[in-house]
Amino acid sequence: ETGVTQSPTHLIKTRGQQVTLRCSSQSGHNTVSWYQQALGQGPQFIFQYYREEENGRGNFPPRFSGLQFPNYSSELNVNALELDDSALYLCASSRGPVAGENGGELFFGEGSRLTVL
Amino acid sequence: TQLLEQSPQFLSIQEGENLTVYCNSSSVFSSLQWYRQEPGEGPVLLVTVVTGGEVKKLKRLTFQFGDARKDSSLHITAAQPGDTGLYLCAGGNDYKLSFGAGTTVTVRA
């Protein structure tokens, strides 16, 4: 158990719809990163939120957006869903924004499995 | 396209055998992490290495970071069925991790 919780765990949407995924970070963590994991692939970085501001973004279009709240929980919003958006969406929290080092170790939730029909 | 290449993609061995998983890149990373992921779950951190040439041992698992900080390996001694899972390497630079596609390890009893 990493202390990172995501909801919903599974959901099905149709093309063109919008979806909001939620993440509660581990206690004491101020940074949340979102990753997309397609079937048979490693996770791909979407963006990171640090102290309520977007701190970095991967190669994803603007229809992927996010928020971080004062309690450091976070949301990922995807508009105009496409079939290729079907994936496991992973949220990870950390004590700091530098990935992997000195407090930046990422602790992942179990993910939200999105299917777009 | 994955920045980190992992090999092999699949590995099936008998309980008690040893195995090695490789992670290679043309990029330099400030840190490298190994995760294990089981079906329906998120990745779980196994180790972080930050110094070129660093070797870390955790019970039966040995992790090595290349001198140039571009590659890494994970070696498991006397594998057990509980070691079965998807092993992911991830290179860290600034705010993000770049993951490999993973190695699926199956340990048969």
Side-chain angles (χ1 to χ4, degrees):
Chain A
E1 290 256 346
T2 62
V4 179
T5 58
Q6 293 187 241
S7 63
T9 54
H10 296 82
L11 69 167
I12 299 173
K13 294 283 187 178
T14 56
R15 274 187 305 173
Q17 285 189 313
Q18 178 265 344
V19 68
T20 297
L21 307 178
R22 295 178 176 83
C23 172
S24 295
S25 59
Q26 189 179 115
S27 177
H29 288 187
N30 59 19
T31 304
V32 170
S33 302
W34 286 91
Y35 287 79
Q36 181 197 65
Q37 187 175 22
L39 205 58
Q41 298 293 319
Q44 299 279 343
F45 176 74
I46 303 175
F47 44 54
Q48 181 190 82
Y49 279 84
Y50 171 56
R51 294 182 175 178
E52 303 179 59
E53 298 284 335
E54 186 179 292
N55 188 51
R57 189 179 182 91
N59 190 26
F60 281 80
R63 59 190 184 84
F64 285 77
S65 63
L67 282 173
Q68 188 178 32
F69 300 100
N71 66 355
Y72 302 125
S73 66
S74 179
E75 285 183 356
L76 164 65
N77 299 289
V78 187
N79 294 323
L81 283 167
E82 301 177 359
L83 297 179
D84 285 349
D85 295 333
S86 295
L88 181 67
Y89 287 85
L90 294 163
C91 166
S93 75
S94 55
R95 282 184 287 154
V98 180
E101 302 181 49
N102 298 327
E105 286 89 351
L106 270 59
F107 295 87
F108 284 87
E110 296 193 348
S112 293
R113 171 76 60 191
L114 171 65
T115 302
V116 182
L117 303 176
Chain B
T1 305
Q2 309 284 163
L3 199 58
L4 288 150
E5 297 291 330
Q6 286 188 238
S7 62
Q9 187 177 359
F10 298 96
L11 194 53
S12 181
I13 60 171
Q14 200 70 32
E15 182 177 6
E17 294 182 336
N18 302 331
L19 68 96
T20 302
V21 177
Y22 299 93
C23 175
N24 296 293
S25 176
S26 57
S27 299
V28 176
F29 295 102
S30 57
S31 68
L32 197 132
Q33 300 186 316
W34 284 92
Y35 291 82
R36 187 172 79 197
Q37 185 176 23
E38 299 192 23
E41 298 184 7
V44 175
L45 179 66
L46 297 174
V47 77
T48 299
V49 286
V50 296
T51 305
E54 182 176 1
V55 176
K56 276 192 177 178
K57 292 188 177 182
L58 298 172
K59 297 183 180 179
R60 296 178 294 101
L61 278 60
T62 301
F63 305 86
Q64 185 162 9
F65 199 12
D67 290 342
R69 307 215 313 267
K70 294 182 180 180
D71 53 82
S72 181
S73 63
L74 157 61
H75 182 79
I76 301 179
T77 303
Q80 300 174 0
D83 296 325
T84 292
L86 176 68
Y87 288 82
L88 294 160
C89 67
N93 273 328
D94 200 7
Y95 49 79
K96 75 173 185 180
L97 292 181
S98 299
F99 282 84
T103 296
T104 299
V105 171
T106 304
V107 182
R108 305 184 304 274

